[in-house]
Amino acid sequence: MSERTSNRIFDIFNVLIITFVILLCLMPFIHIIAISLSSTRPIMSGLVTFFPREFNINAYTKVFSDMAMIRSLGFTIMLTVLATVLSMVMTIAVAYSLSKKDLRGRKWFMLIIVITMFFSGGIIPDYILVRNLHLLDTVWALVLPGLISPFYMIILISFFNSIPKSLEEAAEIDGTTHLGTLLRIILPLSLPSLATLSLFYAVGRWNGFQDALMYINRPDLYPLQLKLYQMIQNNQVSELMQQEGLGMAQLMPESLKAASVVFSTVPILIVYPFLQRYFISGMMVGAVKG
Amino acid sequence: MAVKNSTYIRRNWQLYLLLVLPVIYFLVFKYGPMYGVQIAFKEFNFFQGIGGSEWVGLDIFREVFHSNDFFKALRNTLLLNLLDLIVSFPAPLILAIMLYELRIVWFKKFAQTILYIPHFISWVIIGGIVLQVFGTESGFINNMLTGMGLDAIPFLSNKNYWLVTYLLVGVWQSAGWGTILYLAALTGINKELFEAAEVDGAGRFKKILHISLPGIKTTIATLLIINLGNMISIGFDRPFIVGNVAVRDYSEVLSTFVYRVGIESGQISLATAVGLFQALVGLIFLLAANYASKKLADESIL
């Protein structure tokens, strides 16, 4: 009987603590949303915590009427889709070939790829390479250097290997080519893994800003994160807002910054729940077999 | 071997075709920069290029090892990683065990969903949030403190408070995500062990202590060793974004140092030499860690 009571107490405390941790996790987001929906005076006097004060959506109106911001959003979406698709095509190609254990030369291919996980030239030689290839200030500087992640490749290889070999053999007996097997049998069976890796690639591209910081100087090629970085760090309000001058008077950058932060987070949060159920299984397959 | 070469190629050419572009990618974008590493031994000049610049032997390295800023960055890298290991390493382990003990399935799923989210938020955005939460003037926490008549805490401008902030933000961003592997390992433990322990009258804590923890000890050991192997490598985004000029003494790490010296100040050779030093020492750490994990946990990372 006392065993049952202590179990209950354990459960209650466990749920309480986890709930507390969840709140800790969410509080910064709630706070920043509250800031983005408040007006300047209460923000400045420190009255805004988790609820908007003097509710208004001015900051969002500003963000959405800022053409530079919208253009940057469009560019980042395009960039993310392009980079993710190319990354996935390349990763699938290399992972499928290398998942064939009897492929001649497989060890060598694995070796030259895995070495790059542990040794690299460093950011300066990377920069010089991108410069020499004349990729500076082009979209490709943001797409090509990080095209394939060896780590994701390994996850995908172990996923391909977990698919029963008999399926492939059956297809081969029917005279299907390797490409046919890949497209018609392997890929449809790998959707959870493919969704997971696409999410990882996409989030990496969406959130990345170091490469843009290094390789991009043309403002029209600034991804959202770089724009946001400059806005937050330099307290710079984007071009259009500065031109408006007086119209800005009632609007403090604080709520504007908060609104921009929300603005560039929402796309991730929209995609995330759809793919979330996949990535746990996707991660585990790769990790446990590691 | 039984199959003749020509037949083998005819049967498998598509597999090799699939490898062409990826291999070219790795050669150009991963091995290409390795060619550029030689400028750590040269006085680099953009007009003469990598090949044309003049060899200077180890002069650049001498310069690096005489630079106080370099040693400060090196010290900070090791310091931040070590503190991170102490603070951030146990967090996902504890969290995973608590999540595993949750009995309400929907709540468990919900908790995981929420706890993973910070991992998907960019450091730029986290930087914005950090300012809003920890800022001295209008930060949320300081507003509450001053509201209660207490003094504001310079979370971002005092070196020691900054360290605490840096570590807390790290835990916040990574703890939930870090639970995935532990949860996977916990799920792999034989359920009968728990039932047997229950029959023997073991309580929840006893079961955690004697079954859950030993059951995932290889996972713990492996992750610990990987962390130790990465002591000298440090991500760019977090120290760059969370750091600021006021706390440069602690926030300047090797990755941000290389960026500032190389890209911002244009000392290409010096920055390459620092990067090369970091890569080599990192590789040694990693190989040592791998060797250790083979010996200790009979598990190899490589």
Side-chain angles (χ1 to χ4, degrees):
Chain A
M1 194 188 79
S2 75
E3 190 57 45
R4 286 188 60 154
T5 351
S6 78
N7 260 343
R8 279 225 77 67
I9 293 170
F10 183 97
D11 281 331
I12 289 166
F13 268 98
N14 199 12
V15 169
L16 284 179
I17 295 170
I18 299 264
T19 309
F20 178 69
V21 176
I22 289 175
L23 288 178
L24 274 184
C25 234
L26 288 179
M27 261 170 357
F29 293 112
I30 296 171
H31 175 64
I32 209 141
I33 291 169
I35 291 276
S36 71
L37 291 170
S38 300
S39 34
T40 306
R41 223 169 335 112
I43 297 176
M44 289 310 282
S45 20
L47 292 171
V48 182
T49 49
F50 299 126
F51 297 101
R53 293 291 177 94
E54 297 181 22
F55 180 90
N56 69 75
I57 54 164
N58 292 348
Y60 288 97
T61 325
K62 288 286 173 192
V63 171
F64 279 103
S65 59
D66 180 354
M67 277 323 288
M69 204 72 181
I70 300 293
R71 214 185 313 122
S72 189
L73 173 72
F75 172 66
T76 311
I77 291 175
M78 192 246 6
L79 178 66
T80 304
V81 171
L82 175 73
T84 307
V85 169
L86 286 180
S87 289
M88 284 309 289
V89 170
M90 296 279 269
T91 309
I92 289 168
V94 68
Y96 179 64
S97 291
L98 295 182
S99 72
K100 303 282 181 195
K101 291 225 167 65
D102 51 353
L103 184 82
R104 285 184 197 170
R106 176 180 178 276
K107 271 198 163 172
W108 290 103
F109 288 119
M110 277 305 271
L111 190 68
I112 63 163
I113 292 170
V114 170
I115 285 175
T116 65
M117 285 173 79
F118 303 108
F119 191 78
S120 69
I123 65 165
I124 303 294
D126 282 353
Y127 175 81
I128 294 175
L129 176 80
V130 170
R131 190 176 188 275
N132 287 346
L133 294 174
H134 301 288
L135 296 178
L136 286 185
D137 276 333
T138 68
V139 177
W140 300 108
L142 302 176
V143 173
L144 294 179
L147 206 52
I148 304 177
S149 150
F151 180 64
Y152 296 166
M153 177 199 83
I154 290 173
I155 291 181
L156 199 56
I157 289 178
S158 52
F159 192 87
F160 285 162
N161 280 332
S162 71
I163 297 172
K165 281 281 162 283
S166 52
L167 285 172
E168 282 179 66
E169 279 156 16
E172 261 164 55
I173 291 167
D174 290 345
T176 322
T177 61
H178 285 301
L179 277 177
T181 317
L182 173 64
L183 293 176
R184 261 172 273 147
I185 294 171
I186 303 293
L187 289 187
L189 288 172
S190 312
L191 286 180
S193 265
L194 300 181
T196 308
L197 295 188
S198 302
L199 175 73
F200 290 168
Y201 274 127
V203 169
R205 181 57 272 160
W206 185 271
N207 284 342
F209 86 109
Q210 191 191 359
D211 45 2
L213 193 66
M214 284 173 32
Y215 303 142
I216 304 293
N217 283 312
R218 269 171 53 188
D220 59 319
L221 288 181
Y222 279 177
L224 211 49
Q225 302 295 339
L226 186 59
K227 245 181 136 44
L228 205 59
Y229 168 73
Q230 291 177 333
M231 199 168 174
I232 291 166
Q233 295 292 318
N234 310 339
N235 224 338
Q236 266 178 359
V237 189
S238 69
E239 31 185 35
L240 193 102
M241 310 245 155
Q242 279 169 339
Q243 287 161 15
E244 278 188 356
L246 277 178
M248 283 285 301
Q250 321 94 311
L251 195 70
M252 259 303 289
E254 286 307 314
S255 60
L256 197 60
K257 277 194 271 178
S260 309
V261 162
V262 176
F263 174 78
S264 47
T265 312
V266 164
I268 291 277
L269 294 185
I270 291 175
V271 187
Y272 170 78
F274 292 104
L275 295 170
Q276 200 236 147
R277 64 197 172 102
Y278 291 126
F279 69 61
I280 299 170
S281 58
M283 264 303 277
M284 280 178 353
V285 170
V288 173
K289 298 188 93 180
Chain B
M1 265 151 281
V3 194
K4 265 202 226 144
N5 275 338
S6 57
T7 333
Y8 181 82
I9 298 290
R10 195 159 0 102
R11 209 180 279 165
N12 293 305
W13 64 272
Q14 289 184 333
L15 293 178
Y16 290 100
L17 185 72
L18 287 174
L19 282 174
V20 172
L21 280 178
V23 168
I24 291 176
Y25 161 78
F26 280 104
L27 292 180
V28 172
F29 285 98
K30 298 294 158 183
Y31 287 89
M34 289 186 201
Y35 169 77
V37 162
Q38 57 177 288
I39 56 187
F41 306 95
K42 286 181 163 184
E43 199 60 66
F44 183 70
N45 180 323
F46 263 120
F47 298 105
Q48 287 154 335
I50 297 172
S53 295
E54 213 168 309
W55 291 99
V56 292
L58 292 174
D59 281 4
I60 312 278
F61 282 93
R62 248 169 243 135
E63 197 183 329
V64 167
F65 293 128
H66 279 110
S67 146
N68 277 330
D69 289 346
F70 164 73
F71 281 106
K72 206 177 262 178
L74 178 63
R75 181 206 66 186
N76 290 344
T77 304
L78 296 172
L79 178 74
L80 293 184
N81 276 335
L82 186 70
L83 290 175
D84 232 5
L85 190 68
I86 295 169
V87 178
S88 292
F89 185 77
L93 176 61
I94 297 166
L95 206 53
I97 287 183
M98 293 178 65
L99 281 171
Y100 184 68
E101 294 288 333
L102 281 181
R103 292 181 175 183
I104 313 158
V105 176
W106 70 264
F107 184 70
K108 188 173 171 176
K109 290 215 167 112
F110 170 74
Q112 282 177 275
T113 304
I114 302 294
L115 294 175
Y116 294 154
I117 287 181
H119 175 82
F120 292 94
I121 304 299
S122 83
W123 277 105
V124 172
I125 286 172
I126 294 176
I129 295 177
V130 164
L131 282 178
Q132 301 273 9
V133 173
F134 292 101
T136 317
E137 291 292 313
S138 60
F140 162 55
I141 295 180
N142 277 321
N143 279 339
M144 294 216 304
L145 288 177
T146 46
M148 290 187 290
L150 299 167
D151 285 337
I153 297 173
F155 287 108
L156 299 173
S157 49
N158 172 293
K159 286 192 289 189
N160 296 320
Y161 281 113
W162 180 83
L163 269 185
V164 177
T165 314
Y166 175 88
L167 294 171
L168 287 180
V169 174
V171 175
W172 181 81
Q173 194 258 358
S174 65
W177 184 250
T179 62
I180 285 193
L181 290 184
Y182 291 125
L183 279 173
L186 283 167
T187 320
I189 297 176
N190 192 345
K191 293 278 177 297
E192 286 171 19
L193 290 175
F194 288 102
E195 284 156 21
E198 227 161 284
V199 174
D200 290 346
R204 299 287 275 279
F205 283 108
K206 280 239 157 94
K207 277 190 271 179
I208 291 172
L209 207 60
H210 295 294
I211 302 173
S212 299
L213 279 176
I216 57 174
K217 75 167 192 285
T218 47
T219 310
I220 302 173
T222 312
L223 290 178
L224 185 66
I225 286 164
I226 291 176
N227 265 298
L228 286 172
N230 284 330
M231 267 324 229
I232 199 167
S233 66
I234 190 163
F236 173 83
D237 293 11
R238 183 169 158 211
F240 186 74
I241 294 284
V242 184
N244 59 63
V245 187
V247 294
R248 186 71 48 92
D249 273 356
Y250 278 172
S251 71
E252 186 82 300
V253 292
L254 287 172
S255 56
T256 57
F257 180 71
V258 169
Y259 172 76
R260 269 186 241 283
V261 172
I263 308 284
E264 282 186 351
S265 328
Q267 302 183 58
I268 298 284
S269 291
L270 188 75
T272 309
V274 174
L276 182 60
F277 168 83
Q278 190 185 8
L280 284 176
V281 176
L283 195 62
I284 294 168
F285 269 55
L286 196 93
L287 291 175
N290 189 53
Y291 178 78
S293 80
K294 243 182 210 164
K295 286 274 166 217
L296 292 174
D298 203 25
E299 198 139 341
S300 147
I301 318 159
L302 298 186

